[in-house]
Amino acid sequence: MSDTVFDRIIAGSIPCHKVYEDAQVLAFLDIAPLSRGHTLVIPKESAATLDQLSDESAAALGRVLPRICRAVIAVTGVKEYNVLENNGRGAHQEVPHVHFHIIPKPDGAAGLGIKWPTGALGADAAQLAKQLAQHLKSAER
Ligand code: AMP
């Protein structure tokens, strides 16, 4: 059984500033916010990365994420925000338990800063899309 800081928050052995809870989902304020209202939304299921999450937990997260975004907008008064979900240390994931960041973007300085080094779609794009579609058709959960 995994024992990340978020598992401990779910278990109640570490405190948090709770924002939302249901049978499958917990949301609380990030302890080191990028901006006021920075909120984390996590499944209670112990999955390290999004690809490991069950359909049930994914659906539960998807159902409440927009609601929590609306609450963050209403309470902070900041209409623009980023939703971020990191997977793996190389992709900036520090806590190996799935979590969605909701990060208000009040101005150019506060909130999430993003480098977006765009490239060109490769010549294999059609093949790549086909392979992905075929994999999705054959994959089972
Ligand atoms: P990530 O880099 O996507 O794994 O983000 C992990 C996030 O968890 C960071 O933004 C941390 O500030 C946050 N965090 C770590 N420990 C706690 C905690 N005890 N309570 C709330 N947020 C936390």
Side-chain angles (χ1 to χ4, degrees), residues 5-6 9 14 28-32 38 40 86 92-95 99 101:
V5 63
F6 292 169
I9 287 174
I14 291 181
F28 51 91
L29 296 181
D30 194 295
I31 203 167
H38 183 165
L40 299 176
N86 299 323
H92 309 289
Q93 184 182 18
E94 297 296 328
V95 180
H99 51 283
H101 298 256

mmCIF file of all heavy atoms in Angstrom, residues 5-6 9 14 28-32 38 40 86 92-95 99 101, ligand 1:
data_model
loop_
_atom_site.group_PDB
_atom_site.id
_atom_site.type_symbol
_atom_site.label_atom_id
_atom_site.label_comp_id
_atom_site.label_asym_id
_atom_site.label_seq_id
_atom_site.Cartn_x
_atom_site.Cartn_y
_atom_site.Cartn_z
ATOM 1 N N VAL A 5 2.354 11.577 1.093
ATOM 2 C CA VAL A 5 1.769 12.623 1.944
ATOM 3 C C VAL A 5 0.273 12.762 1.662
ATOM 4 O O VAL A 5 -0.523 13.029 2.591
ATOM 5 C CB VAL A 5 2.540 13.959 1.750
ATOM 6 C CG1 VAL A 5 2.424 14.479 0.331
ATOM 7 C CG2 VAL A 5 2.069 15.024 2.727
ATOM 8 N N PHE A 6 -0.143 12.511 0.427
ATOM 9 C CA PHE A 6 -1.568 12.655 0.114
ATOM 10 C C PHE A 6 -2.379 11.481 0.677
ATOM 11 O O PHE A 6 -3.531 11.672 1.091
ATOM 12 C CB PHE A 6 -1.782 12.796 -1.395
ATOM 13 C CG PHE A 6 -1.244 14.101 -1.964
ATOM 14 C CD1 PHE A 6 -1.151 14.290 -3.329
ATOM 15 C CD2 PHE A 6 -0.842 15.133 -1.125
ATOM 16 C CE1 PHE A 6 -0.657 15.490 -3.845
ATOM 17 C CE2 PHE A 6 -0.340 16.333 -1.626
ATOM 18 C CZ PHE A 6 -0.244 16.507 -2.997
ATOM 19 N N ILE A 9 -2.960 12.498 4.134
ATOM 20 C CA ILE A 9 -4.009 13.522 4.227
ATOM 21 C C ILE A 9 -5.380 12.855 4.112
ATOM 22 O O ILE A 9 -6.297 13.154 4.881
ATOM 23 C CB ILE A 9 -3.805 14.614 3.148
ATOM 24 C CG1 ILE A 9 -2.604 15.488 3.544
ATOM 25 C CG2 ILE A 9 -5.064 15.456 2.965
ATOM 26 C CD1 ILE A 9 -2.201 16.520 2.495
ATOM 27 N N ILE A 14 -2.413 13.613 8.504
ATOM 28 C CA ILE A 14 -1.795 14.924 8.244
ATOM 29 C C ILE A 14 -2.942 15.888 7.952
ATOM 30 O O ILE A 14 -3.854 15.539 7.195
ATOM 31 C CB ILE A 14 -0.832 14.857 7.030
ATOM 32 C CG1 ILE A 14 0.402 14.022 7.376
ATOM 33 C CG2 ILE A 14 -0.413 16.249 6.580
ATOM 34 C CD1 ILE A 14 1.397 13.933 6.227
ATOM 35 N N PHE A 28 -8.140 20.123 -1.505
ATOM 36 C CA PHE A 28 -7.621 20.936 -0.402
ATOM 37 C C PHE A 28 -6.646 21.958 -0.966
ATOM 38 O O PHE A 28 -6.172 21.831 -2.108
ATOM 39 C CB PHE A 28 -6.939 20.034 0.648
ATOM 40 C CG PHE A 28 -5.927 19.072 0.096
ATOM 41 C CD1 PHE A 28 -4.587 19.421 -0.004
ATOM 42 C CD2 PHE A 28 -6.320 17.813 -0.356
ATOM 43 C CE1 PHE A 28 -3.655 18.547 -0.530
ATOM 44 C CE2 PHE A 28 -5.392 16.922 -0.875
ATOM 45 C CZ PHE A 28 -4.056 17.284 -0.973
ATOM 46 N N LEU A 29 -6.326 22.967 -0.149
ATOM 47 C CA LEU A 29 -5.407 24.012 -0.601
ATOM 48 C C LEU A 29 -3.987 23.488 -0.673
ATOM 49 O O LEU A 29 -3.541 22.754 0.223
ATOM 50 C CB LEU A 29 -5.470 25.219 0.348
ATOM 51 C CG LEU A 29 -6.792 25.966 0.416
ATOM 52 C CD1 LEU A 29 -6.668 27.151 1.385
ATOM 53 C CD2 LEU A 29 -7.237 26.452 -0.959
ATOM 54 N N ASP A 30 -3.273 23.882 -1.732
ATOM 55 C CA ASP A 30 -1.860 23.541 -1.839
ATOM 56 C C ASP A 30 -1.084 24.279 -0.742
ATOM 57 O O ASP A 30 -1.312 25.464 -0.495
ATOM 58 C CB ASP A 30 -1.327 23.929 -3.225
ATOM 59 C CG ASP A 30 0.025 23.297 -3.523
ATOM 60 O OD1 ASP A 30 1.017 23.621 -2.833
ATOM 61 O OD2 ASP A 30 0.087 22.458 -4.450
ATOM 62 N N ILE A 31 -0.152 23.561 -0.108
ATOM 63 C CA ILE A 31 0.598 24.133 1.019
ATOM 64 C C ILE A 31 1.600 25.201 0.554
ATOM 65 O O ILE A 31 2.005 26.053 1.352
ATOM 66 C CB ILE A 31 1.319 23.001 1.808
ATOM 67 C CG1 ILE A 31 1.624 23.439 3.230
ATOM 68 C CG2 ILE A 31 2.573 22.524 1.089
ATOM 69 C CD1 ILE A 31 2.041 22.283 4.142
ATOM 70 N N ALA A 32 1.976 25.168 -0.697
ATOM 71 C CA ALA A 32 2.926 26.152 -1.244
ATOM 72 C C ALA A 32 2.341 26.719 -2.536
ATOM 73 O O ALA A 32 2.791 26.403 -3.641
ATOM 74 C CB ALA A 32 4.284 25.499 -1.500
ATOM 75 N N HIS A 38 -4.852 28.357 -5.031
ATOM 76 C CA HIS A 38 -4.247 27.147 -5.634
ATOM 77 C C HIS A 38 -4.745 25.919 -4.855
ATOM 78 O O HIS A 38 -4.492 25.768 -3.666
ATOM 79 C CB HIS A 38 -2.722 27.280 -5.546
ATOM 80 C CG HIS A 38 -1.952 26.158 -6.177
ATOM 81 N ND1 HIS A 38 -0.613 26.274 -6.457
ATOM 82 C CD2 HIS A 38 -2.296 24.898 -6.568
ATOM 83 C CE1 HIS A 38 -0.158 25.146 -6.994
ATOM 84 N NE2 HIS A 38 -1.165 24.293 -7.067
ATOM 85 N N LEU A 40 -5.618 21.605 -4.786
ATOM 86 C CA LEU A 40 -5.303 20.270 -5.304
ATOM 87 C C LEU A 40 -6.544 19.391 -5.227
ATOM 88 O O LEU A 40 -7.242 19.396 -4.205
ATOM 89 C CB LEU A 40 -4.175 19.631 -4.483
ATOM 90 C CG LEU A 40 -2.838 20.372 -4.495
ATOM 91 C CD1 LEU A 40 -1.844 19.677 -3.555
ATOM 92 C CD2 LEU A 40 -2.262 20.461 -5.903
ATOM 93 N N ASN A 86 0.750 16.548 -13.268
ATOM 94 C CA ASN A 86 2.072 16.042 -13.628
ATOM 95 C C ASN A 86 2.152 14.537 -13.403
ATOM 96 O O ASN A 86 1.586 14.020 -12.435
ATOM 97 C CB ASN A 86 3.142 16.733 -12.775
ATOM 98 C CG ASN A 86 3.172 18.235 -12.980
ATOM 99 O OD1 ASN A 86 2.972 18.719 -14.092
ATOM 100 N ND2 ASN A 86 3.413 18.979 -11.910
ATOM 101 N N HIS A 92 7.943 16.716 -13.513
ATOM 102 C CA HIS A 92 7.740 17.625 -12.368
ATOM 103 C C HIS A 92 6.761 17.117 -11.321
ATOM 104 O O HIS A 92 6.220 17.912 -10.559
ATOM 105 C CB HIS A 92 7.311 19.026 -12.844
ATOM 106 C CG HIS A 92 8.199 19.588 -13.903
ATOM 107 N ND1 HIS A 92 9.490 20.009 -13.658
ATOM 108 C CD2 HIS A 92 8.025 19.739 -15.239
ATOM 109 C CE1 HIS A 92 10.044 20.423 -14.764
ATOM 110 N NE2 HIS A 92 9.181 20.261 -15.758
ATOM 111 N N GLN A 93 6.540 15.792 -11.276
ATOM 112 C CA GLN A 93 5.656 15.274 -10.231
ATOM 113 C C GLN A 93 6.478 14.972 -8.978
ATOM 114 O O GLN A 93 7.383 14.132 -9.023
ATOM 115 C CB GLN A 93 4.943 13.992 -10.701
ATOM 116 C CG GLN A 93 3.940 13.474 -9.664
ATOM 117 C CD GLN A 93 3.258 12.179 -10.092
ATOM 118 O OE1 GLN A 93 3.736 11.477 -10.991
ATOM 119 N NE2 GLN A 93 2.171 11.854 -9.453
ATOM 120 N N GLU A 94 6.162 15.652 -7.887
ATOM 121 C CA GLU A 94 6.870 15.442 -6.621
ATOM 122 C C GLU A 94 6.169 14.402 -5.755
ATOM 123 O O GLU A 94 6.819 13.647 -5.042
ATOM 124 C CB GLU A 94 6.972 16.758 -5.833
ATOM 125 C CG GLU A 94 7.780 17.845 -6.535
ATOM 126 C CD GLU A 94 9.240 17.457 -6.720
ATOM 127 O OE1 GLU A 94 9.775 16.734 -5.858
ATOM 128 O OE2 GLU A 94 9.837 17.862 -7.733
ATOM 129 N N VAL A 95 4.848 14.398 -5.776
ATOM 130 C CA VAL A 95 4.083 13.477 -4.926
ATOM 131 C C VAL A 95 3.461 12.398 -5.818
ATOM 132 O O VAL A 95 2.632 12.705 -6.684
ATOM 133 C CB VAL A 95 2.965 14.233 -4.160
ATOM 134 C CG1 VAL A 95 2.175 13.261 -3.291
ATOM 135 C CG2 VAL A 95 3.555 15.359 -3.312
ATOM 136 N N HIS A 99 -2.826 13.967 -8.754
ATOM 137 C CA HIS A 99 -3.430 15.210 -8.251
ATOM 138 C C HIS A 99 -3.524 16.230 -9.367
ATOM 139 O O HIS A 99 -2.594 16.407 -10.147
ATOM 140 C CB HIS A 99 -2.662 15.783 -7.059
ATOM 141 C CG HIS A 99 -1.190 15.937 -7.280
ATOM 142 N ND1 HIS A 99 -0.313 14.867 -7.246
ATOM 143 C CD2 HIS A 99 -0.428 17.024 -7.544
ATOM 144 C CE1 HIS A 99 0.922 15.292 -7.464
ATOM 145 N NE2 HIS A 99 0.885 16.602 -7.665
ATOM 146 N N HIS A 101 -3.832 20.150 -10.117
ATOM 147 C CA HIS A 101 -3.694 21.496 -9.570
ATOM 148 C C HIS A 101 -4.716 22.398 -10.265
ATOM 149 O O HIS A 101 -4.826 22.370 -11.499
ATOM 150 C CB HIS A 101 -2.323 22.085 -9.902
ATOM 151 C CG HIS A 101 -1.135 21.359 -9.357
ATOM 152 N ND1 HIS A 101 -0.424 21.816 -8.275
ATOM 153 C CD2 HIS A 101 -0.501 20.226 -9.771
ATOM 154 C CE1 HIS A 101 0.605 21.006 -8.044
ATOM 155 N NE2 HIS A 101 0.580 20.028 -8.943
HETATM 156 P P1 AMP B 1 3.557 18.008 -8.044
HETATM 157 O O1 AMP B 1 4.871 18.675 -8.302
HETATM 158 O O2 AMP B 1 2.611 18.096 -9.201
HETATM 159 O O3 AMP B 1 3.725 16.600 -7.538
HETATM 160 O O4 AMP B 1 2.869 18.863 -6.901
HETATM 161 C C1 AMP B 1 2.843 18.495 -5.560
HETATM 162 C C2 AMP B 1 2.169 19.607 -4.827
HETATM 163 O O5 AMP B 1 1.805 19.163 -3.533
HETATM 164 C C3 AMP B 1 3.046 20.868 -4.617
HETATM 165 O O6 AMP B 1 2.404 21.994 -5.201
HETATM 166 C C4 AMP B 1 3.153 20.987 -3.096
HETATM 167 O O7 AMP B 1 3.158 22.308 -2.644
HETATM 168 C C5 AMP B 1 1.912 20.230 -2.642
HETATM 169 N N1 AMP B 1 1.983 19.663 -1.309
HETATM 170 C C6 AMP B 1 2.956 18.879 -0.794
HETATM 171 N N2 AMP B 1 2.664 18.543 0.481
HETATM 172 C C7 AMP B 1 1.474 19.113 0.775
HETATM 173 C C8 AMP B 1 0.643 19.145 1.924
HETATM 174 N N3 AMP B 1 0.966 18.497 3.056
HETATM 175 N N4 AMP B 1 -0.517 19.836 1.864
HETATM 176 C C9 AMP B 1 -0.867 20.486 0.728
HETATM 177 N N5 AMP B 1 -0.123 20.501 -0.390
HETATM 178 C C10 AMP B 1 1.041 19.833 -0.368
#
